[in-house]
Amino acid sequence: MTHVTAGRHGLATLAAGVLLAGALLAAGPAAAQSKSAPAPAGGYEMHDGHFHLTNYIQEGTDIREFLKLMGNRVGRVALFGIPLQQMWAHENTGDFAPTYYLQTDAPLYYYSFTDAWIAMAYKSLSPAEQARFDPMITGFNPADMYAADHIRRVLKTFPGVFSGIGEFTIHKEFVSSKIAGETASLMNPALDRVLDFAGQVGLVVILHNDVDMPFPKAGQDPYLVPQLRDLLKRHPKTTVIWAHVGVGRVVQPVKDHLGMIGRAAAAPELSHVYFDISWDQVAKYVISSPEATQATADLINRYPDRFLFGTDEVAPKDQVGYLKIYDMYAPLFAKLTPETKQKVLKGNYERLFDKARRDVRAWEKANL
Ligand SMILES: [Zn+2]
């Protein structure tokens, strides 16, 4: 969820850092691709594993307009809104109506209706158009022991629609501390319930968790790293995509970030974890120097099944804006092997989300 509407910007050095590993295997050729929109002869250029149709005040792009932006370049999209609503508190900003969380001190709150909004947008499409989307459930409070029950209720209300949950957030700079109520944490059993349930159903999880706090003092313990590792190890049956490999608008890659991702990718107990390189703030680090680009490419080439491309755009208005990050990543893509590039842009998405569709539909049939 990141960021969005207002410029996100970013981090600094990618340096050692950013990205991750991956593993997808040779994804079969576009098995579940749309039958409708005539795919170009050579296939679509990419799938988008991270996309927000709506913003922090639950407004956004009409899904039919968005299909036009996807055009014949983007095949499939992991589709979600944003689970948080920025409150317009008149006592705080008066007649100024904030549309972004940095524009006011008023709190954010969980807006569960986002799930119905996304489901109804999806259901308004033809089957061929629907085949190009993997809708995601986001409208739950991950600090609430009842969160998993919300997810189950959404599946029951809208069977045949959803492929996963997320992008939802535990630690996010400037956002987590603004949310009304109990602060989310990686150690909260409510989150364990959510991940357990996702694993049972087969829902893909897109999790945003910053790798560190903003502006850490030199030598400060990056305590979120072991907390996240332990959380992921507790849920080996749940497919988790770590959004943005943990960097943010201000949160920078931790020391030896690329090394950390490489160790995670190599760890058998984390083989269910994937990494998305979405967000122009991540791309900025990756292309910050030829060395950073090469180091990132080396890592992805080593673990080609574990990384997914995504835009992390929010409610885009035109194709140029929507695919800006794809163009930013050109230097990285140029350094990937053809096989790796295919996996990062399409193959890994197809492998993970085709499986999620099969598993979630089977669970719905058996349990609802
Ligand atoms: Zn996002």
Side-chain angles (χ1 to χ4, degrees):
M1 79 187 156
T2 317
H3 13 27
V4 177
T5 319
R8 321 145 165 219
H9 69 105
L11 314 178
T13 12
L14 169 57
V18 179
L19 312 190
L20 353 164
L24 302 180
L25 303 178
Q33 222 148 307
S34 165
K35 292 170 193 86
S36 68
Y44 292 105
E45 289 172 68
M46 74 200 93
H47 301 318
D48 183 353
H50 191 128
F51 176 73
H52 302 270
L53 190 65
T54 54
N55 64 12
Y56 280 90
I57 56 166
Q58 309 301 321
E59 294 179 353
T61 309
D62 179 87
I63 197 162
R64 278 180 189 72
E65 289 304 308
F66 180 58
L67 270 165
K68 292 180 193 163
L69 305 192
M70 292 163 64
N72 60 4
R73 298 190 67 192
V74 182
R76 288 168 63 179
V77 173
L79 181 75
F80 32 98
I82 286 184
L84 294 163
Q85 162 81 26
Q86 175 59 60
M87 183 178 172
W88 177 6
H90 197 271
E91 63 172 18
N92 189 265
T93 60
D95 290 339
F96 174 75
T99 60
Y100 196 55
Y101 58 84
L102 293 178
Q103 295 173 335
T104 168
D105 288 329
L108 298 156
Y109 63 94
Y110 287 100
Y111 188 82
S112 291
F113 189 71
T114 183
D115 294 330
W117 182 268
I118 292 294
M120 294 306 284
Y122 173 86
K123 286 165 74 77
S124 74
L125 301 173
S126 70
E129 291 166 337
Q130 289 177 350
R132 295 179 68 180
F133 292 104
D134 286 286
M136 308 286 281
I137 297 166
T138 63
F140 54 89
N141 180 344
D144 184 351
M145 289 292 283
Y146 282 128
D149 301 273
H150 170 81
I151 296 165
R152 183 186 183 98
R153 194 171 300 118
V154 174
L155 293 173
K156 186 173 182 181
T157 308
F158 299 104
V161 172
F162 290 97
S163 300
I165 63 172
E167 180 192 24
F168 71 96
T169 296
I170 303 301
H171 288 280
K172 176 172 164 61
E173 56 190 21
F174 315 124
V175 168
S176 302
S177 57
K178 278 191 66 164
I179 300 170
E182 182 179 341
T183 306
S185 132
L186 295 168
M187 302 173 291
N188 192 324
L191 178 57
D192 287 306
R193 282 199 77 206
V194 167
L195 295 185
D196 279 344
F197 184 65
Q200 281 169 30
V201 178
L203 295 158
V204 169
V205 175
I206 301 178
L207 172 67
H208 180 122
N209 195 82
D210 291 346
V211 74
D212 205 352
M213 289 289 136
F215 312 116
K217 291 196 171 191
Q220 179 175 309
D221 179 12
Y223 60 90
L224 291 177
V225 173
Q227 285 185 15
L228 178 61
R229 179 199 60 210
D230 292 347
L231 172 76
L232 295 170
K233 281 186 178 177
R234 288 199 297 275
H235 301 281
K237 295 194 167 62
T238 306
T239 298
V240 179
I241 300 170
W242 187 20
H244 329 304
V245 294
V247 296
R249 176 193 299 275
V250 169
V251 171
Q252 302 191 9
V254 292
K255 185 165 180 291
D256 191 29
H257 201 109
L258 287 176
M260 173 188 70
I261 302 293
R263 289 189 293 279
E269 65 273 28
L270 294 176
S271 62
H272 57 298
V273 178
Y274 299 82
F275 310 92
D276 94 31
I277 58 170
S278 70
W279 197 7
D280 55 2
Q281 295 313 309
V282 178
K284 181 169 112 184
Y285 291 117
V286 174
I287 63 170
S288 61
S289 72
E291 294 74 23
T293 307
Q294 188 64 56
T296 305
D298 290 346
L299 177 64
I300 298 176
N301 281 325
R302 200 173 322 133
Y303 302 101
D305 299 320
R306 306 290 284 280
F307 295 85
L308 292 91
F309 171 76
T311 63
D312 196 25
E313 277 302 316
V314 179
K317 294 185 171 49
D318 56 51
Q319 193 184 58
V320 172
Y322 172 44
L323 296 181
K324 176 182 62 171
I325 184 174
Y326 179 77
D327 298 326
M328 284 178 74
Y329 270 133
L332 175 72
F333 296 151
K335 292 183 182 302
L336 300 179
T337 69
E339 295 76 17
T340 297
K341 182 180 171 190
Q342 191 279 339
K343 289 179 178 182
V344 171
L345 286 174
K346 293 192 292 188
N348 293 342
Y349 181 106
E350 290 168 10
R351 193 176 97 241
L352 295 187
F353 284 94
D354 286 353
K355 181 173 191 307
R357 285 182 182 185
R358 288 193 301 271
D359 291 350
V360 179
R361 296 298 84 81
W363 183 90
E364 289 170 349
K365 199 157 176 240
N367 292 279
L368 298 182

